[in-house]
Amino acid sequence: MTDLTPSAVQTVLHEGYGSAGVASTVSYVEDGDVRLVIDPGMVRSRSLILDPLSALGVAPDHITDVVFSHHHPDHTLNAALFPNARFHDHWAIYRDDQWTWRDAEGYQLSPGIRLIRTPGHTHEDITTLVGTPDGVVAYTHVWNNATSHDDRHAVDMDALHAARERVLAVADIIVPGHGPAFIPGPETPS
C-alpha cells in the first residue's frame, strides 16, 4: 500500500461540515495527466468548488477524473460540473454512455493515486490514497471529522472500524468526509 509514487499535488477546495447544514469536503489532486476531483457534493454555492479550481488555473473541463467515496448526494451532487471526466465509484468507471466494470480495490488512477475499499458508512465506500511529497494522504469517509468515534449513519460499525485501521496503517494525513484534514495519532478514533 505504501508504494505510491510521491508525485501528486493535492489541495482541499472546500472543507466540509455536518451541522448548521451539510457539505462534503471537496478536494483536488493532480498527478501527471490526471486532474482529479474527489467528492464534488453539496456546498452552499458551486463557486466554493469552482473558484478555488480557477485560482489553481484549472477549468472544469480540464478535470479528467472524479471519485465518489460513496453515493450519498452530499458527496455527488455537483458531479455534472466536470463534463470531460471519468467518474469512479466502488465497482465501475462511467463516462458519457459507457459503464466499465472494475473493482475499486487497488485500482490505480496514476502512479500516485490508488483506490481501496473501506466499507462501513455504506457497504460501497472507497478511500482515495494519494502519494505526495508530504506522505500518503487518505481522502475517506470512514471519519466524518478528526474526533468522530462512531458514525450514526453507518450501515456496519464493525466494518467501519476495520476500515479505519486499514487507513491508519498507511495514511500520514487524513481528509475526512465532513471536516478539516488531520494528522492521525494515538488519539485518532479507530
Side-chain angles (χ1 to χ4, degrees):
M1 286 302 228
T2 58
D3 62 341
L4 290 167
T5 303
S7 53
V9 176
Q10 61 85 31
T11 188
V12 172
L13 301 173
H14 180 264
E15 193 175 280
Y17 48 86
S19 61
V22 64
S24 66
T25 298
V26 184
S27 301
Y28 173 73
V29 177
E30 190 170 315
D31 190 31
D33 293 334
V34 173
R35 289 178 174 79
L36 168 66
V37 171
I38 302 167
D39 282 350
M42 291 171 63
V43 291
R44 191 175 336 102
S45 166
R46 290 183 178 128
S47 65
L48 295 171
I49 297 171
L50 297 176
D51 290 352
L53 275 176
S54 179
L56 295 170
V58 179
D61 61 345
H62 294 160
I63 300 301
T64 61
D65 295 88
V66 171
V67 169
F68 303 129
S69 62
H70 61 295
H71 281 283
H72 289 166
D74 57 323
H75 294 270
T76 63
L77 194 63
N78 285 298
L81 292 173
F82 309 107
N84 297 323
R86 300 181 308 163
F87 296 88
H88 302 264
D89 71 1
H90 68 106
W91 65 355
I93 301 169
Y94 314 92
R95 185 172 193 168
D96 300 324
D97 67 345
Q98 299 300 301
W99 180 315
T100 305
W101 294 99
R102 66 95 188 91
D103 190 353
E105 179 59 39
Y107 183 78
Q108 201 93 20
L109 276 79
S110 73
I113 305 170
R114 179 180 303 127
L115 306 178
I116 62 170
R117 285 185 170 273
T118 51
H121 180 69
T122 71
H123 296 296
E124 299 83 21
D125 270 59
I126 60 174
T127 292
T128 304
L129 299 175
V130 176
T132 74
D134 296 324
V136 175
V137 180
Y139 299 88
T140 186
H141 203 289
V142 295
W143 288 272
N144 286 319
N145 57 56
T147 61
S148 56
H149 286 276
D150 287 319
D151 179 342
R152 65 188 167 122
H153 301 295
V155 297
D156 186 334
M157 285 304 298
D158 290 337
L160 181 83
H161 291 294
R164 285 180 175 184
E165 290 294 334
R166 186 173 188 205
V167 171
L168 287 170
V170 297
D172 298 298
I173 301 167
I174 295 172
V175 180
H178 297 280
F182 65 93
I183 296 173
E187 71 288 347
T188 302
S190 61

